[in-house]
Amino acid sequence: MAIIFNEKEKVFKLDTISSSYMMGIEGQLGHLVHLYYGKKIKGDAAPAGMPGINMAQKIWFMDGNPMEYPAGGCGDFREHCIEIETEEGYTALEPVYASHEITKGKPALPGLPATFAEEDDCTTIAIKLIDAPTGVQITLFYTVFENLDVITRSVRIKNTSDGVIRLTKAMSGCLDIGNEEGYELITLHGSWGRERCIERRKVARGRQGVSVERGTSSHQENPFMALVSPGTNQNMGEVFAMNLIYSGNHVEVCELTNGNLIRMVSGINPYKFSWKLEKDDEFVTPELVMVHSDAGLGKMTRTFHDLYRKHLLRGKYRNIKRPILINNWEGTYFDFDTDKLLAIARDAAKVGIEMLVVDDGWFGNRFDDNRALGDWFVNEDKVKGGLKYLVDEVNKLGMKFGLWFEPEMVCPDSDLYRAHPDWAFQIPGRTPALSRNQMVLDITRKEVRDYIVDSMSKVLSSANVEYIKWDMNRALSDVASLGLPADRQGEIYHRYVLGVYELQDRITTAFPYILLENCSSGGGRYDAGMLYYGPQIWTSDNADAIDRLTIQEGTALVYPLSTMGAHVTDCPNHSVGRTTPFETRGIIALAGTFGYELDVTKISEAERNMIPEQTAMYHKYNDLVREGDYYRLASYSENKVYDSYMVVSKDKREALVTYASVRTIAGYPDPTIKLAGLDEDTVYHVDYLDRDVCGDVLMNYGLPVRHEHGDYKARLYHLTAV
C-alpha cells in the first residue's frame, strides 16, 4: 500500500518509489503533526514516539513542533496556512483530527486544474480536521503517485456552523523540516523578456520567498520553490520542491524560525483575499505538487516532467508532434491584408512550415493597439474575402491555420466597451489605469464569460481554425466588480482565475481538435494550471537565441520541453537587437515546440534555404525532445561562456546533445562535457565525431566538443545505440 495508517502509533505513512512522508495524531488534543519527509524508510513509527502536550506550556508545543496544516491564534506564531474571521470578529483556529479515509485513485478538484490518475496508479488519503468552537471543517487531501516521487495536496474548507465565516487565508500545503543541513532556497524570478531565471540563496532567519499580487502567476515570480541541501547540483543533493497548480496571485513562503525549523508554505496569496462561507459552503484550494529528490535537481526536474506529461497535459496534442507554425506578428505587426498573409503562407509552405498563425489585428477596427479589443468579428477590410476564404486558401497549400485572441481584455475605444462599460474592472469615482491601451474584462460575471465564448465560437466555427494563441497582456488593477456585492469584493482575484479556467475549458470542450497555446505578454502566465487546458505556452516574447538559453533553462527546471513555445525569429532581434546565426536560432528553438516568427518573404535567400534543413531536423528529433529525459550539462547563466543540455530516450537507445558556444575567449580550450543518463554498458555512435563510444566513457571521460570560432555558435550531437 502506498498509504498506511499505524493504528497503534497513530501515524500515517505515504510512500512513493524512493521517498516517505509521515505525520501523526498527537494523543491529548489530536493535533496533526508532521514527522518526516525524505528518503524512503521501512518503518512506520516515529523513533521517539508522538510528541505530547504539556497543557501548562501549550504554547511551547504549538510554536515549536512541526505541524501539518498550522492555524493562528492559539499559540503557533509562525507562518499560517489558514486564517478566518467569525461574525463576532474572532480569528483563532485550532483544528484537530476527526477522521480519515484512504481510497484508490484521485478525486478531481471542482473548477480547478489538477493532476489526474491513470490506470489506478494513485492512492489518496483525506484527513478531516475540526475546529469545534467555529465549526470550521478542514479536509486535507494527499495523493501519492505510486510510480513517481510525487505527493500532491489540496484542501477543502467547509463552514459547518449556522453563522457566516470569512476565510482570509487558505494555503494549499505546508512542510516543516529541521535546518540541520543549512538549506538553500531556489526560486524562479524575472520580468517581461527574462522570465524564470534561477535564483538561489541561503535560507536566512525570518520569512523569505516570493509573492505576486498582479492577478496572474506573473513574469516576476513563478509559483515554484525548492529547498536544497548545501552543494546540491544536477546529480547530487537533497531537494524538497513545491509547485502550485494555479494561475493567479500566489505566495511561496520559506520561514526559518528561532527553533531552527524551516516552514515552507504555498498557496493563494492572501492579498485582497476574503471568501465568504455561509452555512455548508465549501472552499477548495489549488493543488500543490511536492517532489522529493535524493539525487539532485536533475532527478527533481525529470520527476516534474514525467508527472506533467502523463498526468496534467490533455487533449489531441498531448503526446503528438505539434505542427511547425509561422506567426506573422514580428513579420508584419498590424500591417497586413489577405494578399500579404497568403504570400507568407505560400513561401512558408515551400520550405516545410505547416501552419500559418495570424496574430493581433485581424478583428474589429484593429489597425493599432489603441482600439477594438473585445470586438471579436473579422475585419474584412484587412481580411479581404472573409476568414473562410483566407483559411481555405491556406489549407489548399497543405497548411493549417491559427488565430490570436486576447479574450480577457477590452479597449475603451471598442464597440463592446461602448455597449457595456460596466463589464470592465473599474472603481467608481476613479480613472482606471490602462496598459497597452486596454482594460480588464470582469470575467467573474457569467454574462461576460458567455459573451467571450459566443464571440470566439462564431469565429472558430466560421472556418477551419485549428490553433488558438490565447494572449493576456496586462496585470490586473482597479479590481472591482459591479456584479458582486460589497461583502464579496475580496473574492474577485480568485473568481477571475476560476473564470479563465472556465473559459478555456468551454472552448477546448467545444473545439477539441484545436491546439491551444497560452501566452501572457510572453511567459507571464507560464504555470501548471494553464498547461491543463493547453499543452504549450509561449515561453517569452524575447526569442533572442542567447537570452533564451537562460529563459529555457529556468523554465525546463520544472516544466517539460514539450510545453515551451520556441521560435526562430528575425534579426536583429526585436527585443534586444542582437544578431545571431540563423542556424543557432534553429538549434535553440528545437528545445521547445519549434516554429518561426518572421516574414519568410523578406529574409535572405541563404536563411530561407536553411529552413527546410531546420524543419527536417525538427521532424527527426522532436519525438525524442518531447518524450525523453532532460539532463542539464552546463549553464551559460553560471559560466558565462557556453551552454549544454541533452535529452535521452526512455530506453536509453538514443540521445541528443545541444551545445551552444556563446563567447569565444582567446586561449580557452575546447571543453569536454560529461554526459548523463546513458546506459553505461551500451556503445553509442556519435554522429558528429563519427565514432562509436561506450556510455560509461561518455559519462565519465566526457564528450569532446568543438568550441566554434566566433560568438553565438551552436551544434547538435546525435547519439544512437550501436
Side-chain angles (χ1 to χ4, degrees), residues 393-495:
E393 291 301 303
V394 170
N395 288 165
K396 287 177 185 177
L397 297 170
M399 297 179 72
K400 299 178 186 293
F401 183 87
L403 275 180
W404 177 96
F405 287 88
E406 192 169 4
E408 302 161 57
M409 299 295 148
V410 64
C411 287
D413 183 5
S414 67
D415 294 346
L416 177 62
Y417 186 79
R418 284 184 283 270
H420 299 284
D422 59 312
W423 281 11
F425 280 151
Q426 51 192 306
I427 301 169
R430 293 186 180 275
T431 300
L434 300 181
S435 180
R436 204 171 181 252
N437 301 297
Q438 61 197 54
M439 301 167 70
V440 182
L441 284 172
D442 181 4
I443 60 173
T444 69
R445 302 173 64 167
K446 182 179 185 301
E447 62 268 32
V448 179
R449 298 195 300 275
D450 289 345
Y451 168 81
I452 292 170
V453 172
D454 290 346
S455 299
M456 292 181 67
S457 296
K458 287 177 184 176
V459 174
L460 297 174
S461 299
S462 70
N464 186 29
V465 180
E466 298 181 74
Y467 165 101
I468 293 171
K469 181 180 178 181
W470 185 302
D471 210 343
M472 196 274 195
N473 275 304
R474 60 157 294 175
L476 274 57
S477 69
D478 306 282
V479 176
S481 173
L482 299 179
L484 289 172
D487 63 349
R488 289 193 179 274
Q489 293 292 308
E491 302 177 5
I492 296 176
Y493 276 107
H494 183 57
R495 286 187 181 274

Side-chain angles (χ1 to χ4, degrees), residues 318-590:
R318 170 188 169 189
N319 293 321
I320 66 172
K321 193 181 297 179
R322 321 279 164 74
I324 302 171
L325 66 84
I326 185 166
N327 184 301
N328 73 299
W329 179 242
E330 289 193 7
T332 68
Y333 291 103
F334 292 103
D335 182 20
F336 64 84
D337 58 15
T338 295
D339 293 339
K340 184 175 287 190
L341 293 173
L342 287 177
I344 292 172
R346 292 187 191 103
D347 276 15
K350 293 175 184 176
V351 291
I353 297 173
E354 301 163 325
M355 177 186 285
L356 172 69
V357 175
V358 178
D359 210 281
D360 194 354
W362 58 267
F363 54 91
N365 187 32
R366 187 75 163 173
F367 291 90
D368 51 45
D369 63 5
N370 296 319
R371 68 191 92 178
L373 277 179
D375 298 341
W376 300 112
F377 54 87
V378 177
N379 180 335
E380 296 199 12
D381 289 334
K382 297 176 74 171
V383 186
K384 300 171 184 175
L387 184 64
K388 188 175 190 307
Y389 169 75
L390 172 61
V391 176
D392 287 349
E393 291 301 303
V394 170
N395 288 165
K396 287 177 185 177
L397 297 170
M399 297 179 72
K400 299 178 186 293
F401 183 87
L403 275 180
W404 177 96
F405 287 88
E406 192 169 4
E408 302 161 57
M409 299 295 148
V410 64
C411 287
D413 183 5
S414 67
D415 294 346
L416 177 62
Y417 186 79
R418 284 184 283 270
H420 299 284
D422 59 312
W423 281 11
F425 280 151
Q426 51 192 306
I427 301 169
R430 293 186 180 275
T431 300
L434 300 181
S435 180
R436 204 171 181 252
N437 301 297
Q438 61 197 54
M439 301 167 70
V440 182
L441 284 172
D442 181 4
I443 60 173
T444 69
R445 302 173 64 167
K446 182 179 185 301
E447 62 268 32
V448 179
R449 298 195 300 275
D450 289 345
Y451 168 81
I452 292 170
V453 172
D454 290 346
S455 299
M456 292 181 67
S457 296
K458 287 177 184 176
V459 174
L460 297 174
S461 299
S462 70
N464 186 29
V465 180
E466 298 181 74
Y467 165 101
I468 293 171
K469 181 180 178 181
W470 185 302
D471 210 343
M472 196 274 195
N473 275 304
R474 60 157 294 175
L476 274 57
S477 69
D478 306 282
V479 176
S481 173
L482 299 179
L484 289 172
D487 63 349
R488 289 193 179 274
Q489 293 292 308
E491 302 177 5
I492 296 176
Y493 276 107
H494 183 57
R495 286 187 181 274
Y496 184 91
V497 179
L498 296 179
V500 173
Y501 294 153
E502 181 191 313
L503 287 172
Q504 296 207 350
D505 186 63
R506 289 169 68 179
I507 290 294
T508 55
T509 299
F511 302 94
Y513 55 86
I514 283 180
L515 171 59
L516 172 63
E517 177 173 298
N518 272 294
C519 174
S520 181
S521 292
R525 198 154 59 182
Y526 203 120
D527 58 70
M530 301 315 296
L531 290 176
Y532 183 77
Y533 301 98
Q536 60 193 56
I537 300 174
W538 183 228
T539 312
S540 176
D541 278 347
N542 181 359
D544 170 68
I546 303 309
D547 281 355
R548 273 298 185 101
L549 293 173
T550 298
I551 294 168
Q552 292 176 185
E553 177 188 3
T555 305
L557 186 69
V558 182
Y559 305 103
L561 301 185
S562 66
T563 68
M564 296 197 308
H567 294 170
V568 177
T569 59
D570 208 356
C571 278
N573 177 264
H574 291 205
S575 296
V576 299
R578 183 182 287 118
T579 297
T580 55
F582 199 80
E583 181 182 19
T584 296
R585 286 175 258 163
I587 288 174
I588 303 308
L590 192 68

Side-chain angles (χ1 to χ4, degrees), residues 207-273:
R207 297 175 185 178
Q208 54 242 269
V210 299
S211 175
V212 174
E213 301 172 355
R214 298 168 181 265
T216 63
S217 52
S218 85
H219 301 83
Q220 285 71 25
E221 307 290 355
N222 199 257
F224 163 83
M225 67 175 167
L227 209 61
V228 301
S229 56
T232 293
N233 57 28
Q234 288 293 315
N235 305 310
M236 58 176 288
E238 189 166 34
V239 182
F240 301 91
M242 290 181 170
N243 189 211
L244 189 68
I245 302 181
Y246 191 60
S247 309
N249 290 342
H250 59 92
V251 61
E252 282 69 43
V253 177
C254 176
E255 180 183 10
L256 177 56
T257 70
N258 58 358
N260 206 33
L261 279 175
I262 292 179
R263 172 166 287 179
M264 299 173 71
V265 173
S266 177
I268 296 173
N269 196 323
Y271 170 76
K272 305 298 183 185
F273 174 83

